[in-house]
Amino acid sequence: DINNRGSLENVQQKWRKEIYIHYTQEEARMPVMLLGLKRDLRKEGEGMIWPQEAYRIAQEMRCDRYAECSAVTGELMHEVFEDIAKVAAKTTTAAGGQSEGSTCTIM
């Protein structure tokens, strides 16, 4: 929720560890995408998260991509699904082929 600073802090503190423990080890490297939701609710104010800030945090977390969208208004939904497909396509084995088993996990 890009209108909720607590949500961003939770990603940095809790989910970051969870993601890297399970999905980014060398032998099973999966691409990671950080997605900012509820773009339609972004309001200027004290707790507002600017896109540049979220993008910077995604870079610090070594995510492969950052994007934002609003399911309610449909804003940027098409672009986000394209980004998800592109990121999922990066999933490969050490030999460079398609990963075995599940190739995309949406949390």
Side-chain angles (χ1 to χ4, degrees), residues 49-84:
I49 301 163
W50 291 96
Q52 300 89 334
E53 179 183 6
Y55 180 75
R56 179 186 51 80
I57 289 168
Q59 287 181 317
E60 288 173 4
M61 292 175 59
R62 300 182 62 193
C63 293
D64 295 281
R65 194 179 295 291
Y66 172 75
E68 296 181 355
C69 67
S70 168
V72 171
T73 65
E75 181 182 11
L76 297 174
M77 289 295 292
H78 181 76
E79 292 84 354
V80 163
F81 277 106
E82 283 184 5
D83 284 347
I84 291 170

Side-chain angles (χ1 to χ4, degrees), residues 8-22:
L8 184 61
E9 291 168 0
N10 199 20
V11 165
Q12 289 177 284
Q13 296 168 9
K14 179 184 176 191
W15 287 106
R16 177 185 213 171
K17 293 174 189 168
E18 186 74 20
I19 288 166
Y20 285 98
I21 288 170
H22 296 290

Side-chain angles (χ1 to χ4, degrees), residues 84-97:
I84 291 170
K86 288 175 186 175
V87 170
K90 290 182 181 180
T91 307
T92 59
T93 63

